[in-house]
Amino acid sequence: MEDEPLILAFCCHYCAYAAADLAGSMRLQYPSNVRVLRLPCTGKLEVNYLLTAFEHGIDGVLVAGCLEGGCHFLEGNLRARKRVERAKVFLEEIGLEPERLEMFNLSSAEGPRFAKIVGIMSQRLAKLGKSPLRPDCQTVHQNIQAMTDQADAALAGAKHDCCRS
Amino acid sequence: MIVADRKNVREIRAMIQNHQRVLLVGCGTCVTVCLAGGEREVGILGSALRMALRLAGRDQVIVDQVTIERQCEDAFIDALAPRVGEYDAICSLACGAGVQALAERFPNTPVYPGVNTQFIGILESQGVWTEKCAACGNCRLGQFVGICPITRCAKRQFNGPCGGSRDGRCEVSPELDCAWQLIYDRAKALNKLDELEAVVPPLDWSTGLDGGPRKVVREDQCIAGLGPNA
């Protein structure tokens, strides 16, 4: 698993996330190296989300939104596509392959298509290889520890505030 | 507002190539509104720059980011001042005024521009900004029914239109409106066509940039006893 390229999938709640769910219900097989992250709409996506994912060493990112014309919020998926294109320009300037990032459109009824999309990205990344920005295991553990400490501190602060009020 | 546009990551990387600790400073005023140098754009550039440096084998370079309310006013730079000592260079994503304000405030720290300052303009539609004012220092908009021929006419003609006006468009580019067509149409709508009969003398450019950097002094607002140099 550690050797496989890791894919982050930003999925719209109204289509791709449901399609991923359907793919699971249908017992469809698709590569296991994808991590799904639900968004209320792909229009929520900003360029910095995408770049931050790559900065943290993710090997590929797929953005899956509704079919064009079918966005629950009218044009969120169209905006997302433009932001994906802009992020690709940044990746090219940085020196990272823009192909590591791709946007797809599908409907909530397309479980098989979700599985296919993950397959397409997985194959593409198998060719591109792991991201040169992928941190070593020690750094990953350190980052996780730092985030855990930060969350603990925030929670402790919240509890403290709660007690005071 | 002042409108700016982003610089290529490669250009910024080249500018900071001799530095080890770089602070990206965003500005919360004009460049935030025109989506060139606000908190989000500073975050994007920060991520991009860190990745570019790592890919170039310069993992050890530290790139941090901060955004202050306004870079062109010294009082707002106070919030930034305590941190600057930790860095050996600053990359400012403010307009040219902000970059220079930081350079004046921190004489021992190199300051680099992170955006290309373009013009004084307005938001025409979402994501589109257009130039409207050349800051000539001697506004004549009253004579041209509120449409500036200096900024919006490619020839800066005060007595137009020229022969290159075609179907309301400028000969320079079919995408450009002919400023003089706009002036004529608006004057007609306002029933002020007769005002365009007069020959307008050339602008007094002594108020423009040719005389060196300009200064506006409001004596009544200056701190008593200290004058404009306070």
Side-chain angles (χ1 to χ4, degrees):
Chain A
M1 187 62 216
E2 289 268 330
D3 294 330
E4 283 183 23
L6 202 57
I7 303 166
L8 182 62
F10 285 103
C11 292
C12 161
H13 165 78
Y14 291 93
C15 56
Y17 193 78
D21 209 12
L22 182 59
S25 302
M26 290 170 77
R27 302 285 189 266
L28 296 175
Q29 294 294 314
Y30 61 84
S32 58
N33 56 337
V34 63
R35 301 290 178 271
V36 175
L37 218 154
R38 182 171 63 164
L39 293 174
C41 169
T42 49
K44 176 75 184 78
L45 197 73
E46 292 283 359
V47 174
N48 49 354
Y49 288 25
L50 301 167
L51 293 188
T52 303
F54 283 109
E55 190 187 351
H56 283 83
I58 205 84
D59 303 299
V61 175
L62 77 85
V63 179
C66 297
L67 296 170
E68 293 195 359
C71 174
H72 188 78
F73 301 100
L74 303 179
E75 55 178 42
N77 54 351
L78 304 180
R79 292 181 183 200
R81 182 167 288 280
K82 287 184 179 169
R83 288 167 195 167
V84 166
E85 281 164 15
R86 189 167 168 91
K88 280 179 172 234
V89 173
F90 273 103
L91 291 182
E92 197 271 328
E93 286 178 17
I94 290 162
L96 202 62
E97 300 92 343
E99 300 81 33
R100 291 183 182 275
L101 169 64
E102 206 59 73
M103 167 114 193
F104 298 91
N105 299 90
L106 75 171
S107 82
S108 57
E110 293 182 295
R113 181 161 157 74
F114 180 81
K116 194 177 165 190
I117 285 169
V118 175
I120 291 169
M121 275 309 274
S122 189
Q123 277 178 11
R124 187 187 289 186
L125 285 160
K127 281 183 195 158
L128 289 170
K130 283 192 283 187
S131 166
L133 294 164
R134 184 186 262 228
D136 54 50
C137 285
Q138 197 186 348
T139 314
V140 171
H141 288 305
Q142 279 172 356
N143 287 346
I144 292 171
Q145 191 58 49
M147 280 189 271
T148 310
D149 293 346
Q150 212 176 350
D152 285 346
L155 279 171
K159 278 179 192 163
H160 187 62
D161 287 346
C162 185
C163 294
R164 267 195 298 193
S165 62
Chain B
M1 88 184 109
I2 293 168
V3 179
D5 200 9
R6 79 176 188 96
K7 273 188 184 290
N8 191 303
V9 177
R10 291 191 200 97
E11 185 184 344
I12 297 173
R13 203 189 85 191
M15 280 193 291
I16 60 158
Q17 64 179 339
N18 296 322
H19 301 288
Q20 299 302 316
R21 299 181 68 89
V22 180
L23 182 62
L24 304 179
V25 185
C27 178
T29 313
C30 307
V31 289
T32 291
V33 182
C34 70
L35 309 177
E39 195 169 1
R40 186 171 60 197
E41 286 69 31
V42 169
I44 290 169
L45 180 65
S47 273
L49 212 48
R50 281 188 290 271
M51 284 193 273
L53 288 163
R54 274 167 65 189
L55 288 173
R58 297 189 64 211
D59 303 52
Q60 74 284 7
V61 179
I62 289 170
V63 177
D64 287 339
Q65 62 228 27
V66 64
T67 301
I68 59 173
E69 188 62 36
R70 196 174 302 158
Q71 285 191 30
C72 59
E73 215 172 308
D74 202 47
F76 289 94
I77 304 176
D78 285 346
L80 178 69
R83 289 188 64 181
V84 169
E86 299 167 28
Y87 299 91
D88 59 8
I90 291 173
C91 178
S92 161
L93 275 82
C95 69
V99 176
Q100 292 179 68
L102 293 189
E104 281 179 26
R105 177 72 184 261
F106 306 114
N108 300 320
T109 309
V111 182
Y112 300 100
V115 296
N116 293 319
T117 307
Q118 300 288 354
F119 49 75
I120 299 174
I122 64 166
L123 179 73
E124 192 171 278
S125 61
Q126 194 170 337
V128 180
W129 293 266
T130 48
E131 185 168 14
K132 297 292 178 191
C133 177
C136 69
N138 192 359
C139 191
R140 287 284 169 270
L141 277 168
Q143 281 170 282
F144 304 107
V145 288
I147 293 161
C148 178
I150 295 174
T151 318
R152 298 171 69 180
C153 168
K155 288 181 178 170
R156 301 185 173 194
Q157 281 201 325
F158 264 14
N159 298 281
C162 71
S165 178
R166 301 264 159 76
D167 301 323
R169 301 285 170 172
C170 176
E171 65 180 340
V172 169
S173 161
E175 289 178 7
L176 276 181
D177 283 325
C178 168
W180 273 96
Q181 182 73 51
L182 298 175
I183 291 169
Y184 180 87
D185 291 345
R186 185 164 159 80
K188 194 175 178 185
L190 293 172
N191 205 18
K192 286 185 162 199
L193 273 179
D194 56 312
E195 290 183 16
L196 298 183
E197 296 280 338
V199 175
V200 182
L203 184 78
D204 174 6
W205 280 100
S206 65
T207 56
L209 189 61
D210 298 344
R214 295 163 278 178
K215 193 177 236 181
V216 173
V217 179
R218 278 279 305 269
E219 290 285 358
D220 61 318
Q221 293 293 315
C222 295
I223 296 171
L226 296 176
N229 297 319

